[in-house]
Every structure is written in structure tokens, then in C-alpha cells.
Amino acid sequence: QVQLVESGGGVVQPGRSLRLSCAASGFTFSTYAMHWVRQAPGKGLEWVAVISFDGRSKFYTDSVKGRFTFSRDNSQNTLYLQMDNLRPDDTAVYYCARDGVDRYYFDSWGQGTLVTVSS
Amino acid sequence: VMTQSPVTLSVSPGDRVTLSCRAGQSINGKLAWYQQKPGQAPRLLIYGTSTGATGIPARFSGSGSGTEFTLTISSLQSEDSAVYYCQQYNRWPLTFGGGTKVEI
């Protein structure tokens, strides 16, 4: 079965960096686009970024453009989200999610990793 | 902008429940619904307005067109207590509604 496992979350000061990972298994990873979606504490869902199956195309929500970089290693079935110049409003649970067949919804989700940006 | 109503719904087991989602402009039927229980990741229920995701019980159904969409739970079960989100995938950025909390 599809499994997505995020890691790398933690507490970080404003302006610092953090890198999240998402390990995928149970499907042919290299044929799917993938996403990050986040959820601030007690709030709704916010799409963050998408990466194409081959890593060549990426789109980001405006609030993270220029600060976050989404990448993937298809040989390791792993996604990465490099988050630089973090701000307090980046505090959230970050989920990796697999793209649906009809693009671009989310048919499988990881359990999430919490990022807290605070001094 | 995706707008969901109501924000909270208090219901009883066996009730027929209807949740609404309105888009600011036509989204060409590219709408998905998710269920999220406390402390869990969201789960895909419906995509393409009305196509049920794998393993989703038949009591969940979706309908709508243009800018108005509906998620219906035909006979509510106690395990359906959750927050339900709609999401459009017709244009960037992908956006979610604010959610409807279903309380039993």
C-alpha cells in the first residue's frame, strides 16, 4: 500500500533554515507528481508546492516563493523541502501528498511533520 | 476563493447530511473533497466532483457544477465526525475551502 513518511520537523528560530524529507513506498514513485500541503495549528489546509514526476517542473504558492525549494530523488524515492528564511507564519504541520490520477488533487497523504518557527 | 458552509453542523446518526462548497468562478468540475479527523491526515473522499476515491463508503457522494458543489452523506455514522474540506484544482494556486466541522 502507499506509504508516505515525513521527517525533519522541529523548532527553529525565525530567519533560519530547515529541510523536510518524505520517504515514499508502495507505488512507482518516479511516475507521480508530488505535493506539500501545510496546516497551521487549529487552521485549515494550505497547498504549498508541487513537483513534476521528473523534478523538472515546480510550482509554489506565493507566500513561499524564493524561500522554499522542492526537490526529489527518484533513485531514493524521497522528496525534500528546503525551507529558508523561515517566518513565524510558516509554523504548521507539513504533509507530503501524492498527486491524483486526474491532477492536481491529493490521493494519499503522509502523517505530517510539525515545524515550529519561534524565537 | 473556495467558501464552505456551514462552518459547523450538529447532526445525529442516521441523518442525511449536505455540505456546500462555492467557488469564486467556474472550476470546470475540478473539485475534490477530503475528510480529516482530529490528529490525522486528511483522506480523499471524492474527486472530479462526483467520483468516489478507492475504499470510500457508498454513503458519501458528490455533486454540483459551475461554482456550486455538494458533499452528501446519505446516512451519517458516528465515525463520520470530522472536518470536511473541498479543494479546487482548476487553476493555480490550488486552494481549499475553510472546512465544515460535522459534530455528532
Side-chain angles (χ1 to χ4, degrees), chain A residues 8-41:
Chain A
V11 180
V12 62
Q13 293 179 327
R16 304 298 291 264
S17 299
L18 204 60
R19 189 177 83 158
L20 305 184
S21 300
C22 172
S25 61
F27 65 102
T28 307
F29 178 73
S30 61
T31 64
Y32 283 85
M34 298 293 296
H35 301 262
W36 289 98
V37 177
R38 67 184 178 183
Q39 186 170 36

Side-chain angles (χ1 to χ4, degrees), chain B residues 11-26:
Chain B
V11 295
S12 300
D15 284 353
R16 181 181 180 86
V17 175
T18 300
L19 310 181
S20 295
C21 175
R22 173 177 293 176
Q25 53 190 301
S26 176

Side-chain angles (χ1 to χ4, degrees), chain A residues 10-16 18 67-68 83 85-92 94 114-119:
Chain A
V11 180
V12 62
Q13 293 179 327
R16 304 298 291 264
L18 204 60
R67 300 188 301 121
F68 288 14
M83 303 186 295
N85 191 20
L86 281 160
R87 309 188 305 215
D89 61 356
D90 293 318
T91 294
Y94 284 74
L114 176 62
V115 173
T116 302
V117 184
S118 173
S119 55

Side-chain angles (χ1 to χ4, degrees), chain A residues 35 37 39 43-47 50 59 61 95 102-107 109-111, chain B residues 30 32 34 36 40-44 47 85 87-89 92-98:
Chain A
H35 301 262
V37 177
Q39 186 170 36
K43 303 298 184 182
L45 300 168
E46 180 186 24
W47 171 79
V50 61
F59 293 101
T61 195
Y95 296 100
D102 286 351
R103 302 185 182 179
Y104 289 98
Y105 55 91
F106 320 106
D107 71 358
W109 298 65
Q111 86 290 347
Chain B
K30 295 187 177 181
Y34 303 87
Q36 186 178 33
Q40 296 185 17
R43 176 176 72 148
L44 176 67
Y47 63 94
Y85 294 95
Q87 177 237 332
Q88 68 80 22
Y89 51 102
W92 303 101
L94 308 178
T95 50
F96 292 89

